[in-house]
Amino acid sequence: MHFETIDFSENLHNITDNKQFYGGLSYDEESIKEVLQRPVHSHTAELGSIIETDMSQYGLSEAQQHNIELLKKGHKVVIAGQQAGLFMSPSYIIHKIVSILVVVKELKEKHCYDAVPVFWVAGEDHDYEEVNHTHLYDTYHRRRVKVNYKPNLTVPMSIGFYNYDKKAMAEALDKILRYIGDSSYAAELKKQVTASIERCTSWTELFHSLVHETFKNDGLVIFNSHLEAVRELEVPIMQNMFKQHKAIDAAFKEGQEEFIRTVNKAPVIQTETNVHLFANAASARTLITETEEENAYVLGDEKLNKDEILKRIEQSPIEFSNNVVTRPLMQEMLFNTAVFLGGGAEVAYWGELHKVFGVMETDMPIVLKRMEFMHVDDRISKLLERYELTLDSSITDQIQARKETLIKTHTNDQVLDEIERVKSSLEESFKPLYEYADEYFTSGIIDGNKKRHLNELEYLKKRYSVDIKRSLRTELNNLDELSEKLMPNGALQERLYHPWQYPACNWDYSPLSYTDKLTIIKS
C-alpha cells in the first residue's frame, strides 16, 4: 500500500489568500506559535473530566487516558466533528478523524507540541434522514445500492435522544455485510459491531462505540456534545449567546455579505432565524425566533419573554443547542483549539462567521480543510490503464467521452443517415394524401397513420443504437463501474460509500503529511 497526492478540486475558499476571514491565521509556524500561547479556559479541567467519565464506559486505552490528562491540563486540541452517520458512514467521517491524527502528529514532529486529537459527535442534530442510510457498491451486479435503517421513520428530536431498535439495526448491519463479502475481516466486523449494538442504547452511543473501537489505539478523544453534563457546563455560555443574539445576528449577516462578495461564491449558510439557538430537543427540535413585538419570542407553539428563556436554559439545558451560526462559537468557548478541520462547506461557513467571533470576544483557531482520500484498488488501476484515463478532476468527463467514442466508432453513420432520409421521404409521400381528405378520409386518420410509420422508423434507429451498446456491453459496464466507484453522483467516493468497503485496519496513515490535495490510497 502506498499514497499519492494529486490536484483534484479547485480550492474555492483559499485560506492563505483570505486570511482576514480566518483570524489572520494559516497553517504556518507563526500562526501555530500564536494559537499555542493563548490562555486556557477556566472550565477546561471540568470539561476533561466530563469527557473522561463518558468515554470510560467504552474502555479507555492508555493513549486515550494520556490525551485526556493533557486536555485537563490545558493542552490545545486539533478538532473536527460530524453527525452520527449509520455505522460511521460515509467514509469521509473516517477521513476527518485521520486528518486530525495527521495534524496532531505534525505538531508533535515539527513543533514539539502534544496536541490532543478530539472528534466532536454532533448528537444534538436532528437530521435523521441524513444519517439513517449508507451506500455500497454491489460488485456482483456492478451497481450502487442503498441500505437504510427504518427509512419511513420520523425522528423530529435530536438524534442523541433516539433509542434505536436493536433488531432493525442488526438487520441493517447484515445487509451491509452482505455487500462487503465473506472474509475474516467481515466476520470480525460482525462480531464487534453486533456486540456494540447489544451493549448500546441510543443512536449516538452506538456511533461513539464504533469510532472508539476504530481509533482507541490512536488516542482519539471523543466528545459527545449531547451529554447532559456538557449542557450544564454550557449554561452560562448559552445564556450569554442568547443575551447577545441581536449583535450575533447582525455580525453574521455583515460578515457573510463581506465574505461572499470577496470570494465571489454563493453563501453556504442559509437561515431565516434571528436567534440562532434551538430548543425542545427531546421532542421536536425547534429554532427560537424573536418576534416584532418587544421582548417576545416564539418557540414552537409557545410565546415566551427573554427572562423565561434564560430561566429555561438554566433549568433544562439539555433541551437547548446551537445552530450553524453559533455552533463554531460554542466549540471555541468550550475547547482550547489550535486547529479546526472541516469539509469545504464548513471552511466556507467559518469564513462567513468571522465577525461573529468578535461579538463574543473569542479567537478563531487555525481553520483547515480536512484531507480528502480516494481508494484505488488493483481493478480500478487496471481499468484506468486499459482505457487510457488519467485520474484527475476531469475523470468523470473523460469516462463519458470514452463511452461516447466507443459507441461512435462502432456506429455506421450511413445507417442513421438512411433512416433519416426514409423519414423525410415518408413525410413527402404523405403530403398528396391530404388533398383527398374529406369527412370519411380525415386528416386525423392520415396523421395517425403517418405517425405510426415514423415511430417505427424511430424504433429502428433506437434498436440499432441499443444493439451497438449490447455489443459493447463489457466495455461500457467497465466504464460505468469506474464512474460509480470513483465519482458516484459526480462526487468523491468518500462522500457516499461506507468506509467498511475500504478496511481502515488495512491502511497505515502514519506516513502521511497534511495536504489539501487529494490523497490516493493504492493497494
Side-chain angles (χ1 to χ4, degrees):
M1 172 170 293
H2 67 279
F3 303 99
E4 299 174 7
T5 58
I6 61 173
D7 290 315
F8 197 84
S9 58
E10 180 187 359
N11 191 350
L12 298 180
H13 305 290
N14 190 300
I15 294 172
T16 304
D17 294 341
N18 296 289
K19 289 172 65 173
Q20 71 271 29
F21 300 116
Y22 298 93
L25 304 170
S26 57
Y27 191 47
D28 56 30
E29 187 170 353
E30 182 180 351
S31 297
I32 291 169
K33 184 177 179 180
E34 178 184 333
V35 297
L36 294 183
Q37 290 176 344
R38 288 176 178 173
V40 176
H41 297 315
S42 60
H43 59 253
T44 293
E46 184 178 358
L47 176 63
S49 295
I50 291 171
I51 295 172
E52 180 180 26
T53 299
D54 180 49
M55 289 185 64
S56 293
Q57 64 184 304
Y58 304 99
L60 286 169
S61 68
E62 289 186 14
Q64 287 174 318
Q65 186 67 64
H66 173 71
N67 282 332
I68 289 174
E69 294 304 319
L70 292 179
L71 176 65
K72 290 180 183 178
K73 293 174 182 176
H75 278 238
K76 302 298 187 289
V77 307
V78 176
I79 192 169
Q82 190 62 39
Q83 295 166 255
L86 181 65
F87 299 124
M88 303 186 296
S89 184
S91 294
Y92 72 75
I93 292 178
I94 302 295
H95 299 162
K96 271 190 175 182
I97 296 172
V98 170
S99 302
I100 295 171
L101 297 171
V102 168
V103 172
V104 166
K105 176 177 67 76
E106 287 192 348
L107 290 178
K108 176 67 172 177
E109 293 173 351
K110 297 180 180 180
H111 303 278
C112 299
Y113 187 81
D114 290 315
V116 179
V118 175
F119 184 69
W120 176 305
V121 181
E124 73 277 8
D125 203 285
H126 63 283
D127 195 349
Y128 169 75
E129 290 185 2
E130 187 171 332
V131 299
N132 73 341
H133 64 276
T134 188
H135 292 86
L136 297 105
Y137 186 79
D138 178 357
T139 303
Y140 183 78
H141 294 99
R142 301 177 80 176
R143 64 182 181 181
R144 183 197 328 156
V145 293
K146 184 177 183 180
V147 176
N148 289 282
Y149 165 88
K150 293 195 172 182
N152 298 320
L153 179 68
T154 299
V155 181
M157 78 281 281
S158 290
I159 199 71
F161 281 109
Y162 176 64
N163 292 333
Y164 58 86
D165 178 334
K166 297 189 177 186
K167 183 183 178 197
M169 191 65 78
E171 289 172 352
L173 172 64
D174 286 341
K175 289 178 184 177
I176 290 171
L177 292 178
R178 279 202 292 272
Y179 294 110
I180 301 295
D182 293 330
S183 66
S184 57
Y185 167 70
E188 184 61 26
L189 260 180
K190 180 165 186 177
K191 179 181 177 182
Q192 291 180 357
V193 178
T194 299
S196 290
I197 290 172
E198 289 303 314
R199 183 175 65 252
C200 300
T201 302
S202 76
W203 188 280
T204 49
E205 284 174 350
L206 177 59
F207 179 84
H208 186 142
S209 176
L210 299 178
V211 173
H212 176 90
E213 285 300 316
T214 306
F215 292 101
K216 63 184 178 183
N217 293 329
D218 299 290
L220 183 69
V221 174
I222 304 169
F223 173 70
N224 183 354
S225 62
H226 186 65
L227 295 174
E228 188 168 357
V230 171
R231 288 285 179 261
E232 291 172 356
L233 186 66
E234 291 175 347
V235 166
I237 303 174
M238 193 80 71
Q239 287 179 325
N240 194 15
M241 286 179 176
F242 178 67
K243 290 175 184 177
Q244 302 250 33
H245 75 79
K246 289 181 185 290
I248 288 173
D249 188 53
F252 156 59
K253 290 174 180 174
E254 181 182 347
Q256 184 184 53
E257 182 180 350
E258 181 183 337
F259 180 81
I260 62 176
R261 186 170 61 247
T262 301
V263 302
N264 195 30
K265 297 294 177 183
V268 175
I269 300 176
Q270 304 279 356
T271 179
E272 297 297 324
T273 184
N274 49 22
V275 178
H276 303 295
L277 294 173
F278 281 100
N280 292 344
S283 53
R285 190 170 181 243
T286 309
L287 282 164
I288 304 169
T289 305
E290 183 181 26
T291 68
E292 294 182 0
E293 185 180 341
E294 186 177 355
N295 193 28
Y297 298 84
V298 172
L299 176 54
D301 296 328
E302 295 182 274
K303 194 172 183 180
L304 305 167
N305 62 38
K306 185 175 183 178
D307 290 337
E308 288 172 328
I309 290 179
L310 288 170
K311 187 175 181 180
R312 282 202 185 185
I313 292 174
E314 183 173 1
Q315 293 178 339
S316 303
I318 192 67
E319 291 285 338
F320 291 82
S321 57
N322 301 99
N323 85 329
V324 64
V325 171
T326 54
R327 200 211 72 82
L329 270 179
M330 182 59 78
Q331 175 182 294
E332 296 313 300
M333 297 178 81
L334 278 178
F335 286 93
N336 307 293
T337 309
V339 178
F340 165 74
L341 290 144
E346 290 174 288
V347 169
Y349 76 63
W350 274 67
E352 293 179 18
L353 297 174
H354 68 283
K355 287 187 178 295
V356 171
F357 287 83
V359 173
M360 300 300 288
E361 299 180 348
T362 300
D363 292 319
M364 291 181 76
I366 296 170
V367 176
L368 292 181
K369 183 180 177 182
R370 68 165 178 87
M371 295 173 68
E372 295 175 320
F373 295 88
M374 179 181 282
H375 295 257
V376 176
D377 58 25
D378 288 341
R379 175 165 175 77
I380 291 176
S381 295
K382 289 175 182 177
L383 289 176
L384 289 170
E385 183 178 357
R386 175 175 176 174
Y387 297 106
E388 299 178 331
L389 301 171
T390 303
L391 188 53
D392 59 26
S393 58
S394 68
I395 186 63
T396 300
D397 292 336
Q398 289 182 60
I399 292 171
Q400 183 60 32
R402 194 74 179 85
K403 289 167 66 176
E404 290 173 359
T405 299
L406 269 172
I407 293 170
K408 185 172 179 59
T409 55
H410 286 77
T411 299
N412 187 338
D413 289 335
Q414 290 181 318
V415 171
L416 298 178
D417 291 343
E418 186 61 22
I419 292 174
E420 288 300 317
R421 190 197 66 75
V422 173
K423 286 172 66 176
S424 297
S425 175
L426 184 71
E427 290 274 9
E428 290 297 321
S429 298
F430 265 80
K431 284 181 181 179
L433 290 176
Y434 288 96
E435 297 178 8
Y436 299 98
D438 57 24
E439 59 182 309
Y440 304 109
F441 186 60
T442 65
S443 59
I445 292 173
I446 301 169
D447 287 340
N449 189 266
K450 181 177 71 174
K451 185 176 180 180
R452 283 194 293 274
H453 282 81
L454 290 172
N455 285 343
E456 286 296 322
L457 288 169
E458 191 62 30
Y459 168 77
L460 184 62
K461 187 177 177 181
K462 290 179 180 178
R463 178 58 189 264
Y464 178 58
S465 177
V466 167
D467 285 346
I468 289 170
K469 290 177 181 178
R470 281 178 178 165
S471 71
L472 298 170
R473 181 179 301 164
T474 299
E475 309 298 325
L476 294 176
N477 284 347
N478 285 342
L479 290 164
D480 284 338
E481 179 182 346
L482 268 179
S483 183
E484 275 298 314
K485 284 184 172 179
L486 294 176
M487 298 289 291
N489 287 345
L492 289 172
Q493 62 184 205
E494 64 174 7
R495 299 200 61 80
L496 197 73
Y497 285 129
H498 197 285
W500 290 341
Q501 290 199 155
Y502 322 105
C505 62
N506 289 344
W507 60 290
D508 174 16
Y509 46 81
S510 59
L512 293 172
S513 297
Y514 173 77
T515 178
D516 59 3
K517 296 181 178 181
L518 177 65
T519 300
I520 306 297
I521 305 170
K522 290 190 173 182
S523 55

